[in-house]
Amino acid sequence: MSELQPDVRIRMEALAPHLQTGAQQWAQRLGLPLDGEAGYALQLGEAGLQLVELGPQAPGPVRVDFVEGAVAHRRQFGGGAGQMIAKAVGIAQGIRPRVLDATAGLGRDAFVLASLGCQVDLIERQPLIGALLEDGLQRAAADAEVAGIVARMRLLQGNAIELMAGWQGEAPQVIYLDPMFPHRDKSALVKKEMRLFRPFVGDDLDAPVLLEAALKLASHRVVVKRPRKAPVIEGAKPGYALEGKSSRYDIYPMKKLTP
C-alpha cells in the first residue's frame, strides 16, 4: 500500500532557516503541508532528510545513511562475499549478477550487494521512503569512500509490479524481494523503523503477485528473504533455501549464473 492511511497526518519541516527553500521543494513534490497539526514530520536538516514521529514518547528520527553507522559497519566487517545474502543472489568468483531489489525500503541490502560489486536497481513504492532513499544516495555520492558503491545503485520510484511488467532494456539476472512486514528482525533499530513506517506502508498483501511478476522478468533467479519460520510466499515453490538464525532466503533458480 503506497498511499497514506486516512488518519495519518504528516507535515514538512525545515530544521534551519536556510533550508526552508529545500523543504518547500520537498513539500511541493510530495504534497505535504508546511504547517498544521500532524503526528509525523518529514524534516530537512543539516544531515539530510529524516522522518520522525512527533510527540513526547516517540522514538528518534529515521534517515538513510550509507556513509556512517550500521551500514558502514556492515560494509567494513560484515563478511563480504561470505554473507548469506551474497550466496543467495549467486555472488561467486567472477560472478557479480545484475540485481533488481524490487522492495528497496531503506536500501541496506541493495547497498551491501553494490558494495560487493553488483549493479543494483532499486524500486521503492512508498513516496516518503523513496524520498529518504533518494536523499541518502545523493549524500553518499558526495562522499569519496562510498561514491563508487552508490554509483552502482539506480533508484526507481513506483509500483514494482507495474515497473517489472513494463521493464525496458536488459532483464535483471536476479530479482531480490524482501516484503517489509512482518519483519523478522527484532533489533531496536528495526523496531523503531517498524513503528514509524507501518502507518505509511501497511502490510505487503500483494507479495504473491510481486513474486509472480519477478519470476516472469528475472533471467536467472529470484530470491525472497523471509522470517526463518515463515511459510513460503503463495505461488511457485522455491527450488531451495538458505537458512540463518532469524531469516531465510528462498531461491527460485531458472538458469545457472556463470562468470
Short mmCIF file of all heavy atoms in Angstrom, two decimals, residues 176-208:
data_model
loop_
_atom_site.label_atom_id
_atom_site.label_comp_id
_atom_site.label_asym_id
_atom_site.label_seq_id
_atom_site.Cartn_x
_atom_site.Cartn_y
_atom_site.Cartn_z
N TYR A 176 15.48 -9.59 -6.24
CA TYR A 176 15.52 -9.79 -4.79
C TYR A 176 14.27 -9.16 -4.18
O TYR A 176 13.95 -8.00 -4.45
CB TYR A 176 16.78 -9.11 -4.25
CG TYR A 176 16.96 -9.19 -2.75
CD1 TYR A 176 17.44 -10.34 -2.15
CD2 TYR A 176 16.67 -8.09 -1.94
CE1 TYR A 176 17.63 -10.41 -0.78
CE2 TYR A 176 16.84 -8.15 -0.57
CZ TYR A 176 17.32 -9.31 0.00
OH TYR A 176 17.50 -9.38 1.36
N LEU A 177 13.56 -9.93 -3.38
CA LEU A 177 12.33 -9.46 -2.73
C LEU A 177 12.44 -9.63 -1.22
O LEU A 177 12.83 -10.70 -0.75
CB LEU A 177 11.11 -10.24 -3.23
CG LEU A 177 10.85 -10.30 -4.74
CD1 LEU A 177 9.69 -11.23 -5.04
CD2 LEU A 177 10.57 -8.91 -5.29
N ASP A 178 12.08 -8.60 -0.50
CA ASP A 178 12.03 -8.68 0.96
C ASP A 178 10.79 -7.93 1.42
O ASP A 178 10.86 -6.76 1.81
CB ASP A 178 13.29 -8.06 1.58
CG ASP A 178 13.28 -8.09 3.11
OD1 ASP A 178 12.41 -8.78 3.68
OD2 ASP A 178 14.13 -7.43 3.73
N PRO A 179 9.60 -8.58 1.34
CA PRO A 179 8.37 -7.90 1.79
C PRO A 179 8.56 -7.37 3.21
O PRO A 179 9.02 -8.09 4.10
CB PRO A 179 7.31 -9.01 1.72
CG PRO A 179 7.84 -9.95 0.67
CD PRO A 179 9.33 -9.94 0.87
N MET A 180 8.21 -6.10 3.42
CA MET A 180 8.68 -5.38 4.60
C MET A 180 8.11 -5.89 5.92
O MET A 180 8.78 -5.92 6.92
CB MET A 180 8.36 -3.90 4.44
CG MET A 180 9.08 -3.04 5.45
SD MET A 180 9.02 -1.30 4.99
CE MET A 180 9.95 -0.58 6.32
N PHE A 181 6.84 -6.26 5.95
CA PHE A 181 6.23 -6.71 7.19
C PHE A 181 5.56 -8.06 6.95
O PHE A 181 5.06 -8.30 5.87
CB PHE A 181 5.19 -5.72 7.67
CG PHE A 181 5.76 -4.37 8.01
CD1 PHE A 181 5.54 -3.28 7.17
CD2 PHE A 181 6.52 -4.18 9.15
CE1 PHE A 181 6.07 -2.05 7.48
CE2 PHE A 181 7.05 -2.94 9.46
CZ PHE A 181 6.82 -1.88 8.61
N PRO A 182 5.46 -8.92 7.94
CA PRO A 182 6.03 -8.77 9.28
C PRO A 182 7.54 -8.97 9.24
O PRO A 182 8.03 -9.82 8.53
CB PRO A 182 5.37 -9.90 10.08
CG PRO A 182 5.07 -10.94 9.05
CD PRO A 182 4.77 -10.20 7.77
N HIS A 183 8.27 -8.16 10.00
CA HIS A 183 9.72 -8.19 9.89
C HIS A 183 10.32 -9.19 10.86
O HIS A 183 9.88 -9.33 11.98
CB HIS A 183 10.33 -6.81 10.13
CG HIS A 183 11.55 -6.57 9.29
ND1 HIS A 183 12.71 -7.27 9.46
CD2 HIS A 183 11.75 -5.76 8.24
CE1 HIS A 183 13.60 -6.88 8.57
NE2 HIS A 183 13.03 -5.95 7.81
N ARG A 184 11.34 -9.90 10.38
CA ARG A 184 11.98 -10.95 11.18
C ARG A 184 12.93 -10.37 12.23
O ARG A 184 13.26 -11.03 13.20
CB ARG A 184 12.77 -11.87 10.24
CG ARG A 184 14.10 -11.36 9.82
CD ARG A 184 14.40 -11.59 8.35
NE ARG A 184 14.59 -10.29 7.73
CZ ARG A 184 13.66 -9.65 7.06
NH1 ARG A 184 12.49 -10.17 6.84
NH2 ARG A 184 13.88 -8.47 6.56
N ASP A 185 13.41 -9.16 12.03
CA ASP A 185 14.50 -8.61 12.85
C ASP A 185 13.91 -7.86 14.04
O ASP A 185 13.11 -6.96 13.87
CB ASP A 185 15.34 -7.68 11.98
CG ASP A 185 16.64 -7.28 12.64
OD1 ASP A 185 16.69 -7.27 13.88
OD2 ASP A 185 17.61 -6.96 11.93
N LYS A 186 14.31 -8.25 15.23
CA LYS A 186 13.75 -7.61 16.44
C LYS A 186 14.73 -6.62 17.07
O LYS A 186 14.61 -6.28 18.24
CB LYS A 186 13.37 -8.69 17.46
CG LYS A 186 12.24 -9.60 16.98
CD LYS A 186 10.94 -8.82 16.83
CE LYS A 186 9.77 -9.75 16.54
NZ LYS A 186 9.57 -10.04 15.14
N SER A 187 15.73 -6.18 16.31
CA SER A 187 16.68 -5.22 16.87
C SER A 187 15.97 -3.90 17.19
O SER A 187 14.91 -3.60 16.65
CB SER A 187 17.82 -4.95 15.88
OG SER A 187 17.35 -4.21 14.77
N ALA A 188 16.57 -3.11 18.06
CA ALA A 188 15.96 -1.82 18.45
C ALA A 188 15.77 -0.92 17.23
O ALA A 188 14.75 -0.25 17.10
CB ALA A 188 16.84 -1.14 19.49
N LEU A 189 16.75 -0.93 16.32
CA LEU A 189 16.67 -0.08 15.13
C LEU A 189 15.46 -0.47 14.29
O LEU A 189 14.66 0.38 13.89
CB LEU A 189 17.95 -0.19 14.31
CG LEU A 189 17.96 0.54 12.97
CD1 LEU A 189 17.87 2.05 13.18
CD2 LEU A 189 19.20 0.21 12.15
N VAL A 190 15.31 -1.76 14.02
CA VAL A 190 14.21 -2.21 13.17
C VAL A 190 12.87 -2.03 13.86
O VAL A 190 11.88 -1.66 13.23
CB VAL A 190 14.44 -3.66 12.71
CG1 VAL A 190 13.22 -4.21 11.98
CG2 VAL A 190 15.66 -3.72 11.79
N LYS A 191 12.82 -2.22 15.18
CA LYS A 191 11.57 -1.96 15.92
C LYS A 191 11.14 -0.51 15.74
O LYS A 191 9.96 -0.20 15.54
CB LYS A 191 11.76 -2.28 17.40
CG LYS A 191 11.64 -3.75 17.74
CD LYS A 191 11.77 -3.93 19.25
CE LYS A 191 11.63 -5.39 19.63
NZ LYS A 191 11.88 -5.60 21.06
N LYS A 192 12.11 0.40 15.83
CA LYS A 192 11.81 1.82 15.66
C LYS A 192 11.28 2.09 14.25
O LYS A 192 10.29 2.80 14.06
CB LYS A 192 13.08 2.65 15.91
CG LYS A 192 12.87 4.16 15.77
CD LYS A 192 14.07 4.94 16.24
CE LYS A 192 15.17 4.98 15.22
NZ LYS A 192 16.22 5.96 15.57
N GLU A 193 11.94 1.49 13.27
CA GLU A 193 11.51 1.70 11.88
C GLU A 193 10.13 1.10 11.63
O GLU A 193 9.31 1.68 10.93
CB GLU A 193 12.53 1.09 10.92
CG GLU A 193 13.84 1.87 10.92
CD GLU A 193 14.97 1.12 10.22
OE1 GLU A 193 14.72 0.02 9.70
OE2 GLU A 193 16.09 1.65 10.19
N MET A 194 9.86 -0.08 12.21
CA MET A 194 8.55 -0.69 12.06
C MET A 194 7.46 0.22 12.60
O MET A 194 6.44 0.43 11.96
CB MET A 194 8.50 -2.04 12.80
CG MET A 194 9.10 -3.20 12.05
SD MET A 194 8.99 -4.73 13.02
CE MET A 194 7.23 -4.98 13.08
N ARG A 195 7.69 0.76 13.79
CA ARG A 195 6.70 1.64 14.40
C ARG A 195 6.47 2.87 13.53
O ARG A 195 5.34 3.32 13.36
CB ARG A 195 7.17 2.05 15.80
CG ARG A 195 6.31 3.11 16.45
CD ARG A 195 6.71 3.41 17.87
NE ARG A 195 6.09 4.63 18.35
CZ ARG A 195 6.19 5.08 19.59
NH1 ARG A 195 6.87 4.38 20.48
NH2 ARG A 195 5.61 6.21 19.96
N LEU A 196 7.54 3.39 12.98
CA LEU A 196 7.46 4.61 12.20
C LEU A 196 6.81 4.39 10.84
O LEU A 196 5.99 5.19 10.39
CB LEU A 196 8.88 5.18 12.01
CG LEU A 196 9.02 6.60 11.48
CD1 LEU A 196 8.27 7.60 12.35
CD2 LEU A 196 10.49 6.99 11.44
N PHE A 197 7.16 3.27 10.19
CA PHE A 197 6.72 3.08 8.80
C PHE A 197 5.39 2.37 8.63
O PHE A 197 4.75 2.50 7.60
CB PHE A 197 7.79 2.31 8.02
CG PHE A 197 9.03 3.10 7.76
CD1 PHE A 197 10.27 2.50 7.83
CD2 PHE A 197 8.97 4.45 7.45
CE1 PHE A 197 11.44 3.22 7.60
CE2 PHE A 197 10.12 5.19 7.22
CZ PHE A 197 11.36 4.58 7.29
N ARG A 198 4.96 1.63 9.65
CA ARG A 198 3.72 0.86 9.46
C ARG A 198 2.53 1.73 9.03
O ARG A 198 1.77 1.32 8.13
CB ARG A 198 3.37 0.07 10.72
CG ARG A 198 2.18 -0.86 10.50
CD ARG A 198 1.92 -1.74 11.71
NE ARG A 198 2.66 -2.98 11.70
CZ ARG A 198 2.36 -4.02 10.96
NH1 ARG A 198 1.35 -3.95 10.11
NH2 ARG A 198 3.06 -5.14 11.02
N PRO A 199 2.33 2.92 9.60
CA PRO A 199 1.19 3.74 9.15
C PRO A 199 1.30 4.16 7.68
O PRO A 199 0.30 4.49 7.06
CB PRO A 199 1.25 4.97 10.07
CG PRO A 199 2.04 4.53 11.25
CD PRO A 199 3.04 3.56 10.73
N PHE A 200 2.51 4.19 7.15
CA PHE A 200 2.70 4.62 5.76
C PHE A 200 2.72 3.46 4.78
O PHE A 200 2.37 3.61 3.62
CB PHE A 200 4.01 5.41 5.63
CG PHE A 200 4.11 6.57 6.56
CD1 PHE A 200 4.93 6.52 7.68
CD2 PHE A 200 3.37 7.71 6.36
CE1 PHE A 200 5.02 7.57 8.57
CE2 PHE A 200 3.44 8.79 7.24
CZ PHE A 200 4.27 8.71 8.34
N VAL A 201 3.17 2.31 5.24
CA VAL A 201 3.41 1.19 4.34
C VAL A 201 2.30 0.15 4.40
O VAL A 201 1.96 -0.45 3.39
CB VAL A 201 4.77 0.53 4.67
CG1 VAL A 201 5.03 -0.67 3.78
CG2 VAL A 201 5.89 1.54 4.51
N GLY A 202 1.73 -0.08 5.58
CA GLY A 202 0.76 -1.16 5.72
C GLY A 202 1.46 -2.51 5.58
O GLY A 202 2.67 -2.63 5.77
N ASP A 203 0.70 -3.54 5.24
CA ASP A 203 1.28 -4.88 5.06
C ASP A 203 1.43 -5.19 3.58
O ASP A 203 0.65 -4.73 2.76
CB ASP A 203 0.38 -5.94 5.71
CG ASP A 203 0.38 -5.83 7.23
OD1 ASP A 203 1.45 -6.06 7.82
OD2 ASP A 203 -0.66 -5.50 7.81
N ASP A 204 2.45 -5.96 3.25
CA ASP A 204 2.68 -6.37 1.87
C ASP A 204 1.74 -7.51 1.52
O ASP A 204 2.13 -8.67 1.49
CB ASP A 204 4.14 -6.78 1.67
CG ASP A 204 5.03 -5.59 1.37
OD1 ASP A 204 4.59 -4.72 0.61
OD2 ASP A 204 6.15 -5.54 1.90
N LEU A 205 0.49 -7.17 1.24
CA LEU A 205 -0.51 -8.19 0.96
C LEU A 205 -0.41 -8.71 -0.46
O LEU A 205 -1.03 -9.71 -0.80
CB LEU A 205 -1.92 -7.62 1.22
CG LEU A 205 -2.17 -7.12 2.65
CD1 LEU A 205 -3.55 -6.51 2.78
CD2 LEU A 205 -1.99 -8.25 3.65
N ASP A 206 0.34 -8.00 -1.31
CA ASP A 206 0.43 -8.41 -2.71
C ASP A 206 1.72 -9.17 -3.00
O ASP A 206 2.15 -9.26 -4.15
CB ASP A 206 0.29 -7.20 -3.64
CG ASP A 206 1.31 -6.10 -3.33
OD1 ASP A 206 2.16 -6.30 -2.43
OD2 ASP A 206 1.26 -5.05 -3.98
N ALA A 207 2.34 -9.76 -1.97
CA ALA A 207 3.60 -10.49 -2.18
C ALA A 207 3.47 -11.60 -3.23
O ALA A 207 4.38 -11.78 -4.03
CB ALA A 207 4.11 -11.04 -0.85
N PRO A 208 2.37 -12.38 -3.27
CA PRO A 208 2.27 -13.42 -4.31
C PRO A 208 2.31 -12.84 -5.73
O PRO A 208 2.93 -13.43 -6.63
CB PRO A 208 0.93 -14.09 -4.02
CG PRO A 208 0.70 -13.85 -2.56
CD PRO A 208 1.25 -12.48 -2.31
#
